[in-house]
């Protein structure tokens, strides 16, 4: 090709200048060939037949470098023909390449360039990438005469680009799969938060927000910032600024926020980014990614929703348990308390005693069920704590055995005790919970054994320390029976909540099925184990192993072991009296604070055996405060927890702030976990759950009165006498009626305010409504009016829930029912007691005694007033005078001296 070019030049020059031109040409050609070889450029040219640019016979010239680029040596290897080149074009590109050449050659204007990229197959059969470019010589009419050009091998560059495209495609797929939107920003010098900073948002970024392209979501900062949630925008922009302005590069950009999508919905995203900085630390460029967290957030929100619902349900369950405890314990206080009072009367006939025994036993069993439910609630809530203290093992065993003897009833069962004489005399642990475990095991043994033997064995083995030294002891308690036994399947379900076994054989067995579940939980809490062996029709053996602390080296010994072995069954009443000895103290003083008169009645009755010098009572927290203001001091104030207007906790707080430091004991029907801590933190010295357990009451009275008055015969500063005996009589119903009448007046006043449709009840008024309904519910239940008690419970709940419309619509009818109930009792009383009133009376004597009674009240001489009233009530009076004396009796019961004076003045017309 170069040689031909030289011949062409020869035609233009004369003979004389030929030699000089040839020498110059050779030097230039030599330099050009060196450049061509160094740059790997292949040259080519072709003469064009006139008006036939596509003729295959057109002469072609391929340079040697062109051939070498394709792996050929010379013209024999790669002829100077168009076909030698055309047949090596890639089949997919041949027509396009040839058509490109034709368009260039046939365009007589010369404006169509020849510049194209294509693939050629080399001698080895592989395709290489080339870039071809050429120029054409034309005549005056624009016809192509000759074309020449160059071919450059771009295979290496092309392969790099293709690999980059492949990697980029893979990256895009990964980004799309991970739901990550990429973005970057060029930072204007010294102004990293300039609105004009050039932003680039990836297509995936746009797709995540529901946009299609740059027209939809321009490459500017505001495309993103304007879609930030208003609550998230300030913090997000501030985080970006802090990252960009921190020249140390230590402040990360990693933040979670919400963006509004094209459809208007907000979605959650996490953005992170890194910056490129100059030598001084100024940000030049920041790039990052955006991850879609919406699905993960939905899952987290759903989990949180379920957690909150579960927590709410658990709180509701705890509230229900606390409420149901209070609702059951309040009437049970009267049932068990009055039964206990009547059982103290040795003059009762056998049938009456038997009936009262059954009432007491059934009530006691109901309390056991309540306690099981509450214990389970405490365990589930994680609020049941172990209280470690030293205890005597023999006493624990004896108490448990005696308590469970009454479970035998009429069954033909022998109860055996086998106590290892080497058992440590004193251990350290939670005695109450150990007893509870043993009680539950014995309870089931007696419950599911109709006849045969129940045996309790107790022994121990060393776990640490030498003989005679303190250390850990494994207490081993075994309870066996000859009952029906259990199948393997029943054993597997034995510790499930609310699961009772052998139900087919023991359909009449009472209980919730919670005992064994609680037992296992308690054993686990004490790091112990429980093992069950049982066969159908052969009985069961339960073995519990509990780590306990050993205290000292003393052992139970043979004598105590033998005495326990010879343990004999005694009757329930005899057993009860053996357990609780309430000896007269004949000193000490007590104040009972309760708004329900029946509860005062029960409490006074249970305190009778102690023959205390003073047993006062008031029906409100205000009354208790007035007593303390009057200078009264008591060995114990028994304070009801829930009272109207001023509850027991608030009353105690006020009394303590007055400087009163004598014992105050809470009386509460709320026995759910956590109540003990609440009372003790609010100024109380102790608490007793309702129904009042005489064992608990006896412990409190002995500790706070007897032990402090061992050498005293009277209480200094208080003229007092033993309390009068309280027995169950018709006055009990009258007391209930008075409780109802007291609440009726308050509730009538409450409902009267609803006549004004715009009236809004205060929180204090609504609370008063709840407290009065609560008190009436108990009083009505004690009177046997279960339907009215249930209605009172409903309205009490309305008050707690703030259901004012329900209160307004239903309360008036309920109050009418109460009035009918009171009228019915009054009529029955008049019909049945027509002979108790005198037709005439000694008005002179009456006036004299009433004046004396009034003076005693003005002097706050409760004992003198009580003595005068007792003397008057022994006489027979007219109906009007009898009513006055009953009214004064109630007022005196609550120490309402001013009201007594007022009643006397009203009666006498003074």
């Amino acid at each position: 090709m170069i040689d031909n070019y030289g011949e062409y030049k020869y035609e233009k020059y004369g003979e004389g200048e030929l030699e000089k031109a040839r020498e110059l040409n050779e030097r230039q050609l030599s330099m050009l060939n060196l450049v061509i070889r160094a740059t790997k450029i292949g040259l080519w040219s072709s003469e064009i037949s006139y008006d036939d640019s596509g003729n295959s016979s057109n002469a072609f010239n391929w340079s040697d470098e062109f051939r070498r680029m394709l792996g050929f040596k010379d013209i024999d290897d790669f002829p100077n023909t168009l076909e030698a080149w055309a047949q090596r074009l890639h089949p997919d590109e041949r027509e396009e390449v040839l058509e490109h050449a034709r368009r260039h050659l046939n365009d007589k204007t010369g404006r169509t360039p020849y510049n194209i990229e294509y693939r050629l197959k080399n001698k080895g059969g592989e395709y290489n990438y080339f870039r071809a470019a050429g120029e054409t010589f034309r005549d005056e009419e624009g016809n192509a005469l000759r074309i020449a050009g160059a071919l450059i091998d771009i295979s290496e560059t092309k392969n790099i680009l293709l690999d980059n495209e492949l990697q980029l495609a893979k990256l895009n797929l990964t980004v799309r799969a991970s739901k990550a939107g990429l973005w970057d920003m060029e930072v204007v010098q010294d102004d990293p938060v300039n609105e004009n900073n050039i932003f680039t948002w990836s297509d995936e970024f746009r797709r995540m927000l529901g946009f299609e392209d740059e027209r939809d979501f321009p490459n500017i900062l505001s495309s993103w910032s304007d879609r930030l949630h208003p609550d998230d925008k300030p913090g997000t922009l501030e985080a970006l600024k802090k990252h960009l302005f921190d020249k140390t590069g230590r402040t990360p950009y990693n933040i979670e926020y919400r963006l509004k999508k094209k459809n208007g919905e907000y979605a959650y995203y996490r953005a992170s980014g890194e910056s490129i900085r100059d030598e001084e630390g100024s940000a030049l460029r920041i790039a990052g990614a955006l991850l879609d967290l919406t699905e993960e957030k939905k899952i987290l929100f759903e989990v949180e929703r379920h957690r909150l619902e579960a927590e709410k349900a658990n709180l509701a369950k705890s509230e229900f348990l606390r409420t149901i405890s209070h609702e059951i314990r309040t009437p049970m206080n009267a049932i068990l308390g009055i039964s206990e009072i009547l059982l103290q009367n040795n003059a009762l006939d056998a049938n009456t005693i038997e009936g009262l025994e059954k009432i007491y036993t059934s009530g006691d069993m109901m309390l056991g069920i309540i306690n099981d439910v509450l214990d389970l609630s405490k365990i589930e809530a994680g609020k049941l704590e172990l209280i470690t203290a030293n205890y005597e093992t023999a006493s624990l065993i004896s108490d448990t055995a005696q308590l469970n003897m009454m479970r035998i009833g009429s069954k033909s069962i022998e109860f055996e005790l086998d106590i290892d004489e080497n058992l440590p005399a004193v251990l350290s642990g939670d005695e109450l919970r150990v007893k509870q475990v043993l009680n539950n095991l014995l309870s089931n043994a007696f419950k599911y054994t109709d006849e045969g033997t129940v045996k309790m064995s107790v022994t121990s083995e060393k776990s640490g320390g030498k003989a005679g030294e303190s250390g850990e002891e494994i207490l081993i308690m075994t309870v066996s029976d000859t009952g029906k036994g259990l199948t393997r399947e029943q054993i597997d379900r034995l510790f499930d909540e609310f699961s009772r076994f052998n139900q087919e054989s023991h359909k009449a067995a009472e209980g919730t099925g919670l005992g064994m579940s609680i037992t296992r939980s308690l054993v686990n809490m004490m790091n112990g184990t429980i093992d069950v062996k049982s066969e159908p029709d052969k009985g069961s053996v339960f073995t519990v192993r509990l780590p306990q602390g050993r205290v000292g080296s003393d052992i139970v010994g043979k004598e105590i072991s033998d005495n326990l072995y010879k343990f004999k069954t005694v009757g329930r009443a005899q057993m009860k009296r053996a357990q609780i000895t309430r000896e007269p103290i004949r000193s000490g003083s007590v104040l009972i604070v309760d708004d329900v008169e029946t509860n005062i009645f029960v409490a006074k009755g249970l305190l009778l055996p102690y023959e205390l010098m003073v047993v006062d009572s008031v029906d409100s927290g205000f009354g208790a405060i007035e007593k303390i203001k009057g200078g009264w001091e008591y060995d114990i104030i028994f304070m009801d927890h829930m009272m109207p207007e001023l509850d027991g906790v608030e009353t105690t707080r006020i009394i303590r702030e007055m400087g009163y430091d004598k014992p105050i004991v809470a009386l509460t029907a709320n026995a759910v976990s956590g109540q003990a801590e609440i009372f003790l933190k609010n100024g109380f010295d102790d608490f007793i759950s309702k129904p009042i357990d005489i064992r608990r009451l006896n412990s409190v009275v002995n500790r706070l009165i007897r032990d402090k008055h061992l050498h005293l015969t009277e209480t200094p500063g208080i003229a007092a006498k033993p309390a009068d005996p309280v027995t169950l009589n018709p006055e009990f119903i009258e007391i209930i009626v008075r409780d109802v009448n007291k609440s009726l007046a308050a509730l009538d006043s409450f409902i009267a305010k609803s006549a004004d449709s715009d009236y809004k009840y205060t929180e204090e008024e609504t609370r008063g409504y709840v407290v009065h309904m609560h008190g009436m519910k108990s009083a009505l239940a004690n009177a046997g009016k279960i339907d009215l008690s249930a209605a009172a419970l409903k309205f009490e709940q309305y008050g707690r829930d703030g259901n004012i419309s329900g209160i307004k619509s239903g309360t008036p009818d309920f109050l009418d029912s109460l009035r009918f109930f009171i009228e019915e009792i009054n009529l029955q009383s008049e019909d049945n007691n027509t002979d108790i009133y005198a037709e005439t009376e000694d008005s002179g004597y009456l006036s004299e005694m009433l004046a004396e009674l009034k003076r005693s009240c003005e002097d706050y001489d409760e004992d003198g007033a009580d003595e005068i009233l007792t003397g008057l009530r022994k006489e027979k009076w007219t109906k009007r005078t009898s009513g006055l004396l009953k009214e004064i009796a109630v007022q005196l019961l609550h120490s309402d001296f001013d009201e007594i004076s007022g009643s006397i003045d009203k009666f006498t017309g003074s």
Side-chain angles (χ1 to χ4, degrees), residues 76 263 347 374 399 532 536 627 741 750 763 876 889:
D76 295 329
N263 62 8
L374 294 177
D399 289 348
V532 185
K627 282 282 188 181
N741 275 327
F750 181 89
E763 183 179 343
K876 203 170 186 181

Side-chain angles (χ1 to χ4, degrees), residues 5 137 150 183 228 266 276 325 395 400 424 773 784 803 884:
Y5 180 68
F137 294 96
W183 56 273
L228 285 166
Y266 280 98
I276 299 173
S325 164
S395 295
T400 305
M773 280 297 182
N803 184 357
L884 170 67

Side-chain angles (χ1 to χ4, degrees), residues 436-473:
Q436 192 172 357
V437 168
L438 204 47
N439 279 332
N440 285 342
L441 295 178
L442 285 171
S443 171
N444 274 331
F446 285 119
K447 185 186 299 182
Y448 295 106
T449 302
D450 293 328
E451 60 181 3
T453 303
V454 172
K455 182 178 180 180
M456 179 172 74
S457 302
V458 183
T459 185
S460 68
E461 63 184 29
K462 290 258 183 272
S463 176
K466 298 179 181 179
E469 293 184 356
S470 298
E472 189 176 82
E473 194 87 8

Side-chain angles (χ1 to χ4, degrees), residues 169-390:
K170 289 180 179 179
L171 178 61
N172 284 331
L173 285 174
T174 302
V175 168
R176 293 194 67 176
S178 62
K179 295 183 179 181
L182 304 181
W183 56 273
D184 78 314
M185 179 183 77
E186 293 181 20
V187 180
V188 175
Q189 188 174 10
D190 296 329
D191 192 3
V193 291
N194 194 308
E195 286 282 339
N196 297 319
N197 285 340
I198 300 173
F199 259 86
T200 302
W201 312 105
S202 70
D203 290 338
E204 181 60 25
F205 190 106
R206 293 184 173 94
R207 277 192 291 269
M208 288 166 65
L209 296 175
F211 297 97
E212 296 179 5
D213 50 38
E214 188 176 344
R215 292 172 299 175
D216 225 7
F217 193 91
N219 281 324
I220 56 177
L221 176 66
S222 59
S223 296
W224 163 76
S225 60
D226 288 350
R227 307 194 77 80
L228 285 166
H229 191 283
D231 294 343
D232 301 341
K233 187 172 183 177
T236 303
L237 295 178
E238 184 63 24
L240 180 60
K241 288 179 183 178
K242 286 182 177 179
H243 169 75
L244 292 172
F245 279 114
D246 182 5
K247 293 187 177 183
T248 67
R250 294 172 184 169
T251 302
Y253 180 64
N254 192 318
I255 191 169
E256 185 179 301
Y257 53 73
R258 287 164 288 180
L259 280 175
K260 183 161 63 175
K261 301 170 72 173
K262 187 175 182 180
N263 62 8
E265 296 178 356
Y266 280 98
Y268 285 86
Y269 300 92
R270 175 163 289 284
S272 58
E274 290 291 339
S275 293
I276 299 173
R277 301 177 183 273
D278 60 19
E279 293 179 354
E280 296 178 355
S282 298
L284 302 174
R285 191 180 195 95
I286 179 172
L290 193 75
L291 293 177
D292 191 336
L293 302 178
T294 305
E295 290 302 318
E296 289 81 354
K297 280 289 184 181
K298 285 181 179 178
I299 294 172
L300 289 174
F301 288 153
E302 189 67 12
V303 170
E304 180 65 9
R305 184 178 68 82
H306 285 304
R307 186 190 70 79
L308 291 174
E309 286 180 354
E311 190 175 277
K312 184 178 179 181
N314 194 49
L315 288 173
K317 182 185 74 174
S318 296
E319 177 65 22
F320 167 76
L321 289 173
R322 189 185 69 191
T323 302
I324 202 67
S325 164
H326 191 278
E327 302 316 321
I328 296 176
R329 285 174 179 272
T330 297
M332 287 300 297
N333 184 46
I335 294 170
L336 291 179
I338 295 169
S339 299
E340 188 69 38
I341 293 168
L342 292 176
L343 282 171
Q344 297 171 17
N345 188 350
N346 295 324
L348 294 176
D349 61 77
N351 289 335
T352 302
I353 292 176
E354 183 181 359
L356 290 171
E357 292 276 359
K358 289 180 179 178
I359 291 173
Y360 192 96
T361 301
S362 297
D364 199 42
M365 189 172 293
M366 181 179 288
L367 276 182
I369 294 172
I370 296 169
N371 290 333
D372 276 351
V373 174
L374 294 177
D375 267 348
L376 184 66
S377 172
K378 293 177 190 177
I379 293 169
E380 288 180 347
K383 293 182 178 179
L384 192 148
E385 299 179 357
L386 297 176
I387 301 174
T388 301
N390 296 345

